[in-house]
Amino acid sequence: MKKQQYIKLISHNDLDGFGAPLLLETLQPELFSNVTFDLTTCSAGRLDQELERFFRQPDVQKYSDIYIMDMTPDSDYSFQQLEQHFANHWLIFDHHESEEELRQKYAANCISPANPAINPSAVSLVWDWVSKQVNFANVPTARQQELQEIVELIRAYDTWDWQNDPNMSNEERKAADELNQLFWFYPLSQSQSFVTKVYQTGWKQYHDQNTLLINTLNGRRQRYLDKHLKNVVDFSVDGHSFGVVYASDFKSEIAHALLQRHDVEAALVIDAHSVSLRSNGQLDVAEFAAKYFNGGGHADSAGGVLPLNPIEEAENAIVEAVKQQAQVNAKTQAQADENLGNLADSISEEAAAKLAALFKDK
C-alpha cells in the first residue's frame, strides 16, 4: 500500500487559477490515487506573502511537494525558500510574460507549453504536464476529450484568444465567454465548487442545464457595460493615453468595450483593491502594471494592486465636503444674524415708534 502523499497547491483566484489545480483534483482517481491536494488561492501580487505564511506553518513538513499555478514569485527569496523547504519538489505552472525572465532562472522547475505556437495559460500547462504522466492512458478517451474542451475554453478566454484568434470558431468564442461569465457570477466562496462541477459534468451538459441563467447573464452584462461606460475618465501619463473606470464586475469585457469606444491606448478598470489593464497593442500594460501597481501579466492584458481604496477615498472626500459646507453655512448664518442686528441698531427711535404704531393699527 502506497504511503499517503500531501501536495500543496497555491494558485490565482480567477477562472484559470481555479481551473489549473482543480484539473489535478479531477484526475486524482486515475493519476494521483495516493495524493491529498491542499489548495489555497490568492489575488494577484499576494503570492510572496502567501508563501511566507505557508513556510511558517508548523505542519509544512508534511507536504512532499508544492505546485504554484497562474503566478510566479516576485522575489529571489521566495525561490530560495522553495529550494530550502522542498529541494527539487516544487513546480510552477505560469504563463505571464512579465515574470518570464525570472522563471528562466529556474527553468527546470517551470513547466513549458507543449506547443509554443499556442498561447498557454495555467490550466493548459497543467494539461500538457498531466498528459505526459505514465497513468494518463487510464483516463478514457471520451473523458480526455471532455476535459480538453474545458481546458481550451479556459485558455482561450484567459489569453484573450477568444477575441484575437481569427481561426477560432464563433461557437468556441461564445462558449469561452459564457463559461467565464458563469464563473464570475458565483461568489468567490463558490468558485471551487463551480469549476469542479463543470469538470465533473462536462461543458456541454452543464451549458444545457443552465441555458436560462446564461441568457439572463448576457442581458445583465450588456446593461452593466452601458451604465458604467458612461463614467470613463481619460488621462495621459508617460506619453500614453488611458481611460479609467470603476467596476466590480465584467472587468475584461468593460476594458475591451472601453478600448473600442474611447480613443485611448489602454483601459484601467478598478475596484476597491485591484486594477485590470488592457491594451490596444500600442502599450505594454504588463510593464506599466509592474511600474505603478506592483503587478504584471501580458503585454496586452495585465493586473495589479491599487495603493489605495477608491471607495474609502470617495467616502472621505464626501465627508470632508460636507464638513466644509457646514462651516460655510455656519459662517453665512452668523453673517446674516450680524446684518440683522446691525439693521435693528440703525433704526432711529422716531422710525421705530412709527413702525410700532403702524403694526399696532393693523
Side-chain angles (χ1 to χ4, degrees):
M1 182 177 180
K2 291 184 178 180
K3 181 180 177 181
Q4 189 66 21
Q5 182 182 1
Y6 294 89
I7 297 180
K8 183 65 180 179
L9 307 175
I10 301 181
S11 191
H12 190 205
N13 56 6
D14 65 357
L15 177 56
D16 191 38
F18 274 98
L22 294 179
L23 178 60
L24 293 183
E25 292 194 0
T26 300
L27 292 168
Q28 185 175 18
E30 293 87 356
L31 304 184
F32 313 101
S33 58
N34 66 316
V35 174
T36 296
F37 292 111
D38 179 18
L39 173 61
T40 296
T41 61
C42 61
S43 58
R46 305 291 185 186
L47 174 59
D48 290 272
Q49 298 175 21
E50 195 60 51
L51 285 171
E52 184 179 357
R53 186 181 302 111
F54 171 65
F55 291 141
R56 291 199 305 264
Q57 291 182 0
D59 63 344
V60 66
Q61 293 182 347
K62 83 173 185 179
Y63 297 94
S64 63
D65 299 77
I66 179 172
Y67 300 160
I68 298 171
M69 301 174 173
D70 206 27
M71 295 185 290
T72 297
D74 291 321
S75 69
D76 279 319
Y77 177 75
S78 293
F79 282 101
Q80 293 168 9
Q81 290 295 298
L82 285 169
E83 278 295 312
Q84 177 181 331
H85 289 281
F86 291 95
N88 199 36
H89 289 262
W90 59 274
L91 293 173
I92 292 179
F93 300 80
D94 190 28
H95 59 111
H96 293 98
E97 298 164 0
S98 53
E99 285 84 23
E100 177 64 27
E101 184 175 345
L102 191 56
R103 288 197 299 274
Q104 286 298 325
K105 296 172 61 176
Y106 304 91
N109 299 86
C110 299
I111 304 302
S112 299
N115 184 355
I118 299 177
N119 292 325
S121 73
V123 70
S124 71
L125 290 172
V126 171
W127 180 259
D128 291 344
W129 182 72
V130 296
S131 300
K132 299 176 183 176
Q133 302 305 304
V134 175
N135 294 331
F136 188 71
N138 294 339
V139 182
T141 302
R143 182 62 172 148
Q144 290 183 27
Q145 295 172 347
E146 193 174 59
L147 291 174
Q148 190 170 20
E149 178 188 20
I150 299 171
V151 168
E152 175 56 18
L153 295 181
I154 297 175
R155 184 208 67 80
Y157 194 94
D158 194 75
T159 61
W160 216 242
D161 275 358
W162 77 287
Q163 286 284 352
N164 298 331
D165 185 354
N167 297 319
M168 186 171 293
S169 68
N170 290 332
E171 180 181 1
E172 190 171 2
R173 295 177 196 274
K174 184 172 180 288
D177 179 34
E178 291 174 343
L179 176 57
N180 187 74
Q181 267 204 87
L182 286 168
F183 173 83
W184 290 110
F185 168 72
Y186 295 103
L188 185 60
S189 60
Q190 296 184 32
S191 296
Q192 183 168 344
S193 60
F194 164 73
V195 175
T196 299
K197 183 68 173 178
V198 173
Y199 276 139
Q200 289 174 343
T201 61
W203 169 244
K204 186 180 186 304
Q205 181 178 343
Y206 191 91
H207 176 277
D208 292 345
Q209 293 172 349
N210 292 273
T211 302
L212 178 59
L213 175 59
I214 291 172
N215 293 337
T216 301
L217 291 178
N218 283 332
R220 189 188 77 157
R221 178 177 62 178
Q222 190 57 54
R223 291 189 296 272
Y224 189 93
L225 265 62
D226 292 340
K227 177 182 177 181
H228 282 71
L229 287 171
K230 295 177 181 178
N231 302 311
V232 176
V233 175
D234 296 345
F235 70 99
S236 296
V237 67
D238 292 344
H240 297 284
S241 58
F242 301 85
V244 60
V245 64
Y246 180 90
S248 57
D249 293 318
F250 306 115
K251 295 179 182 179
S252 295
E253 294 90 337
I254 284 183
H256 183 70
L258 192 158
L259 290 172
Q260 291 180 325
R261 301 185 191 185
H262 290 254
D263 186 20
V264 295
E265 296 170 64
L268 280 66
V269 182
I270 62 172
D271 61 14
H273 306 287
S274 64
V275 55
S276 296
L277 303 94
R278 298 293 185 272
S279 171
N280 63 1
Q282 300 180 41
L283 172 68
D284 187 331
V285 289
E287 292 184 3
F288 188 86
K291 183 177 180 180
Y292 288 96
F293 300 110
N294 190 32
H298 305 283
D300 58 355
S301 175
V305 181
L306 291 179
L308 51 80
N309 185 326
I311 296 178
E312 290 181 356
E313 293 293 321
E315 291 172 342
N316 290 332
I318 292 173
V319 170
E320 187 61 30
V322 171
K323 289 181 177 179
Q324 291 180 3
Q325 187 61 47
Q327 293 176 354
V328 171
N329 292 346
K331 184 180 294 186
T332 301
Q333 185 61 48
Q335 185 66 46
D337 293 343
E338 181 180 353
N339 292 339
L340 182 59
N342 292 338
L343 176 62
D345 293 340
S346 66
I347 299 177
S348 65
E349 292 183 5
E350 182 181 359
K354 290 181 178 180
L355 287 172
L358 176 65
F359 283 107
K360 184 177 181 181
D361 293 340
K362 295 287 186 182

